[in-house]
Amino acid sequence: MQSIDIAMALTFLVLATTVVLYAWERFSIETIALGSVVAFIVIFTLFPVVTSDGPIEPGDFLVGFSNPALITVICLLIIGQGLFQTDALEGPAKAIVRWTRGKSAVATIPILLTVGVLSAFLNNTPVVVMFLPILSAVAATMGQSASRVLMPLSFIAILGGMTTLIGSSTNLLVANYAEQSSGLQFDFFTFTPLGLILAGVGSLYVLFVLPKLLKPRKTMAEEMQGQSGKQFIAQIHVGYGHPLVGIESVSGMFPALKDMTVRLVQRNGKPILPPFENVALRPGDTVIVAATRAALANALARRQPIMDPEAGPSSEGQDTPNVDANSMTLAEVVVAPASRLMGRTLMQSGFQSETDCVVMGIQRRSRMPRMAMNDIRLEAGDVLLVAGGEKDIARLRGNRDVLLLDWSAAEVPRRRHAPKALGIFGAVVLLAATGLVPIVATAVAGTFAMIATGCLNTRQALRAIDSRIFMLVGASLAGAVALEATGGASAVASSMVTALDGQPPAVILSVLYLVVMILTNFLSNNAAAVLFTPIAINMANQLGQPPEAFVVCLIFAANSSFATPIGYQTNLIVMGPGHYRFSDFIRAGVPLALILWLTFTLVAPWYYGL
């Protein structure tokens, strides 16, 4: 047996094993992907393969890790992190929720349908980039997991993209090749009627069935924080120029503090207790509130913060830690048994000067004391909400007086940078959608702008990079190199032609769709389209049928990349923010791909008169 045949057989074995391991989820995606790359390098070293461009070298299997599509996805993830870090889309998300009265279906379905329509006329990648943070913000505002809406976002964009000639680069690629080789010409809406049938059937599944198949997934930190409805005692110092100066109570409450319960107002050393009637806040007042962590974080993150870490409780003459509002982290710590803090107030403890962290709130499980934070004597088990720089928070791990809850550390959004983040995001989407600048160029430039303008720091940008996506793309492109070099993909196509000899046109059309649909989830959709376009045209000529049906079949099948995250770029974009696993795409995407295949099998012969 020739070495190229051995290499081909081993390539198929590695690909099959890799897919099984991805779906099994016993090992990490990064480990499996790296193992597949190593396997290809070993195979082609032991069984050298020479193509028309020369021998296949180990470096050829590493080229995928610098692929422009991969760089684009990573940069878009960083830009999305910039929007998240600044809470730039919180306002629009809340407006959508108000308009829809908090009903999730009413809020998300119109957005998804808009995505489908736009994807028919624009490249679907920037459309997904545009709507991903909006849908994520809407889901967060309604208390839902983003995993319920982000995979439907990717899928409906793909469905919309298969309805017009310019909806996907695959459509144009196949149409151009068909025109060059057979003279077949497509206009903008040539296959739109059939595409609308497939997209309509697929959309019903995406909108009403798919969300029920997706598990609500969050990181452990998000799950723990999401369960936290506990109240902290906190205090707000009202100084000159403070946003609360002049705020009057209405029906016993302060409208500007609607997310907090005001327990008392200290004025000139005397407490003013609820119910508050005709009370207007003045400079020098201290407002004692009970609030959740989320409410306190919002108070710190506002463009005009109503809480100031530098105005936290400290003794007179004691230096207050300088906490940078642009890189502030909130975390929770528990007062340890036998801690030196026990029996002391915050002013007496010296906690702030020792740790450079400011206590923003105190939570006591047994009771909620009605007194200022400065007067509360700490007990073992008290939970302190502290603010500080990331390094200062990390140093609390070594503090014997408190126990740091690692999962609780989260950075306060930089809302003062929200307009800049929105401007950068809008420019990236506009340039990419109009095609004035390649999307990889706009994505890289947008990433730089997010960091340069202070919307993100370098550490936050690096944290947005999903290692699973990086390894998945690199390894899948290595597999595509192996398939092409050994002739494995061509062998599959040739075998299909031989096996279908003598079958009716409707059967051949259906099998062509099925085979291309399977391959497009492991090769790129463009690669599958280029490989099968001449085969589809030859099939039509041999059967004496018009080639349009077979070329359109190829377009739809190559776009049916729902079953794996590596099937299409938009799947990769939503994988990280949605916290999806490889098996999620198999479980949710395979039924959609099969539904489209069955729909095409039933409708296409009638539509084309086969």
Side-chain angles (χ1 to χ4, degrees), residues 17 27 60 75 106 204 304 339 379 396 429 450 467 490-491 495 500 535 547 581:
T17 303
F27 307 100
D60 294 329
C75 289
V106 179
L204 292 176
Q304 288 186 317
S339 168
E379 300 177 359
L396 293 177
V429 172
M450 282 288 185
S467 60
S490 298
S495 300
L500 294 176
I535 296 172
R581 300 174 183 171

Side-chain angles (χ1 to χ4, degrees), residues 1-78:
M1 182 182 291
Q2 297 178 354
S3 63
I4 193 169
D5 297 327
I6 298 175
M8 183 192 301
L10 292 175
T11 294
F12 281 120
L13 177 62
V14 170
L15 288 174
T17 303
T18 300
V19 172
V20 171
L21 290 176
Y22 280 150
W24 191 22
E25 295 184 344
R26 180 69 178 272
F27 307 100
S28 69
I29 284 178
E30 296 89 337
T31 302
I32 299 168
L34 182 59
S36 68
V37 174
V38 171
F40 287 131
I41 292 175
V42 171
I43 290 170
F44 281 75
T45 300
L46 296 177
F47 305 99
V49 174
V50 180
T51 66
S52 58
D53 296 326
I56 300 298
E57 302 288 345
D60 294 329
F61 297 103
L62 304 177
V63 172
F65 293 100
S66 61
N67 185 275
L70 175 58
I71 302 300
T72 300
V73 170
I74 289 175
C75 289
L76 293 177
L77 289 175
I78 295 174

Side-chain angles (χ1 to χ4, degrees), residues 100-253:
T100 57
R101 299 180 180 179
K103 296 180 180 179
S104 59
V106 179
T108 57
I109 289 178
I111 296 175
L112 291 173
L113 290 176
T114 302
V115 169
V117 173
L118 289 177
S119 295
F121 303 96
L122 300 172
N123 185 298
N124 45 24
T125 299
V127 173
V128 169
V129 172
M130 184 191 309
F131 283 91
L132 185 148
I134 296 175
L135 272 175
S136 298
V138 170
T141 303
M142 293 188 298
Q144 286 189 343
S145 171
S147 64
R148 297 282 196 188
V149 295
L150 294 189
M151 193 181 294
L153 170 65
S154 175
F155 286 2
I156 206 160
I158 297 172
L159 290 172
M162 66 169 59
T163 58
T164 66
L165 184 63
I166 66 169
S168 168
S169 59
T170 305
N171 305 357
L172 282 170
L173 188 65
V174 174
N176 290 336
Y177 189 96
E179 182 178 359
Q180 294 171 7
S181 58
S182 66
L184 180 64
Q185 292 188 341
F186 288 88
D187 60 31
F188 196 90
F189 296 109
T190 295
F191 49 85
T192 297
L194 186 56
L196 287 175
I197 295 174
L198 267 65
V201 173
S203 296
L204 292 176
Y205 170 85
V206 169
L207 295 176
F208 301 107
V209 179
L210 179 57
K212 298 178 182 179
L213 299 179
L214 297 172
K215 298 179 180 179
R217 283 211 174 92
K218 297 183 179 181
T219 62
M220 185 180 73
E222 290 172 334
E223 289 175 351
M224 296 296 289
Q225 291 172 12
Q227 296 170 0
S228 178
K230 59 189 176 185
Q231 301 270 318
F232 289 89
I233 289 291
Q235 60 190 39
I236 301 171
H237 299 276
V238 182
Y240 289 96
H242 193 279
L244 294 182
V245 171
I247 296 296
E248 296 184 5
S249 59
V250 178
S251 300
M253 303 177 64

Side-chain angles (χ1 to χ4, degrees), residues 189-356:
F189 296 109
T190 295
F191 49 85
T192 297
L194 186 56
L196 287 175
I197 295 174
L198 267 65
V201 173
S203 296
L204 292 176
Y205 170 85
V206 169
L207 295 176
F208 301 107
V209 179
L210 179 57
K212 298 178 182 179
L213 299 179
L214 297 172
K215 298 179 180 179
R217 283 211 174 92
K218 297 183 179 181
T219 62
M220 185 180 73
E222 290 172 334
E223 289 175 351
M224 296 296 289
Q225 291 172 12
Q227 296 170 0
S228 178
K230 59 189 176 185
Q231 301 270 318
F232 289 89
I233 289 291
Q235 60 190 39
I236 301 171
H237 299 276
V238 182
Y240 289 96
H242 193 279
L244 294 182
V245 171
I247 296 296
E248 296 184 5
S249 59
V250 178
S251 300
M253 303 177 64
F254 293 93
L257 299 173
K258 60 182 179 180
D259 296 331
M260 304 177 180
T261 301
V262 179
R263 299 181 63 82
L264 63 94
V265 176
Q266 282 191 333
R267 178 174 295 171
N268 299 324
K270 297 181 180 179
I272 302 175
L273 299 174
F276 302 102
E277 298 294 339
N278 302 318
V279 176
L281 298 179
R282 307 173 185 171
D285 288 350
T286 299
V287 183
I288 312 303
V289 300
T292 63
R293 171 180 171 153
L296 295 177
N298 286 335
L300 286 166
R302 290 171 54 171
R303 296 178 189 178
Q304 288 186 317
I306 62 174
M307 295 186 70
D308 184 359
E310 297 188 11
S314 61
S315 59
E316 293 183 7
Q318 184 180 25
D319 291 336
T320 304
N322 182 20
V323 181
D324 184 4
N326 285 329
S327 58
M328 187 195 310
T329 297
L330 283 181
E332 296 176 28
V333 298
V334 179
V335 177
S339 168
R340 292 176 297 172
L341 303 180
M342 292 173 56
R344 297 181 179 182
T345 65
L346 289 174
M347 297 175 64
Q348 298 168 346
S349 67
F351 178 80
Q352 294 178 187
S353 59
E354 180 182 340
T355 63
D356 287 335

Side-chain angles (χ1 to χ4, degrees), residues 486-511:
T486 60
S490 298
V492 171
S494 300
S495 300
M496 187 186 72
V497 172
T498 303
L500 294 176
D501 186 31
Q503 295 295 324
V507 174
I508 295 177
L509 204 62
S510 177
V511 175

